[in-house]
Amino acid sequence: MCRVNREDSAMFLEFHSRREPVFEAIDNSAKFLAKFITESEAVGVKVVLRELLMNAVIHGNRSNGELLVKCAIEYLGDKDFKIWVEDEGSGFDHESIVADDQDLQYPEKRRGYLLINRLSDRVRFNDKGNRITVYLKARN
C-alpha cells in the first residue's frame, strides 16, 4: 500500500519496499502530473519516476519489505519538476557511476541510471548515496 499526501504543487509518497506499491505510486503520480502537463508530456517523467522507485526498492532496500521508500514530486512551473527518492538502505558510492554511451553496449548494466540521466536535466545524490534528486522538464 502506498501512502499519498498531495498539496497544490507537490505530492509525497511513502511505501514499504515491494514492487507492487511502485505501480500504485506511478498511477497516483499520473493523476498529479495531469494537473500540469499532457499525458504525452508525462511519459518521460513517469519513466524516470519508475526507475528511481524500482532502484530504491531493489538496490537500495534490497526488496526488504520492512524498509520504506519515500518520494516527493514537486511542480516548479513551466513544465519543470523536481523528484527526490530516498530509501533506508546503506547507500552506495554514487561517484563511481559513469553513465555514458559505452553503457549502451551492455543494456542491462546501469540501464536505470542511464535512462534517468538521459531524461533528466540534473541528477544529484546525498553523501550517503541513499537519496537521489532529479530535475527534469516534461517534453513531448
Side-chain angles (χ1 to χ4, degrees):
M1 182 167 135
C2 181
R3 281 175 281 211
V4 180
N5 181 18
R6 288 186 186 90
E7 296 178 0
D8 289 339
S9 61
M11 181 171 122
F12 303 90
L13 306 160
E14 180 178 276
F15 57 89
H16 287 276
S17 224
R18 293 190 276 299
R19 292 176 190 226
E20 298 81 21
V22 170
F23 302 110
E24 184 182 343
I26 299 301
D27 288 343
N28 277 294
S29 71
K31 295 170 190 165
F32 172 75
L33 294 171
K35 293 177 8 180
F36 308 106
I37 56 177
T38 66
E39 191 173 330
S40 64
E41 291 170 327
V43 171
V45 178
K46 291 190 296 186
V47 167
V48 168
L49 182 61
R50 184 191 70 233
E51 292 300 326
L52 292 171
L53 294 175
M54 283 300 216
N55 282 346
V57 168
I58 296 167
H59 301 295
N61 287 342
R62 307 255 185 235
S63 299
N64 179 342
E66 299 297 314
L67 301 178
L68 292 174
V69 173
K70 298 176 183 178
C71 172
I73 306 167
E74 184 179 352
Y75 180 63
L76 304 175
D78 196 29
K79 300 184 183 183
D80 291 318
F81 292 88
K82 173 184 175 182
I83 302 172
W84 63 258
V85 173
E86 183 174 332
D87 60 62
E88 295 184 317
S90 59
F92 76 108
D93 179 12
H94 56 87
E95 292 180 10
S96 68
I97 292 181
V98 178
D100 58 27
D101 290 337
Q102 287 184 339
D103 288 337
L104 295 175
Q105 297 173 27
Y106 308 100
E108 71 285 350
K109 183 181 175 187
R110 294 190 295 255
R111 178 191 61 84
Y113 182 71
L114 185 60
L115 277 170
I116 293 164
N117 200 44
R118 290 277 171 97
L119 294 172
S120 301
D121 299 315
R122 242 183 328 160
V123 178
R124 300 286 182 260
F125 291 93
N126 68 349
D127 289 339
K128 183 178 176 182
N130 72 326
R131 180 176 173 143
I132 184 171
T133 303
V134 299
Y135 296 85
L136 68 158
K137 181 176 279 295
R139 297 172 176 88
N140 278 324

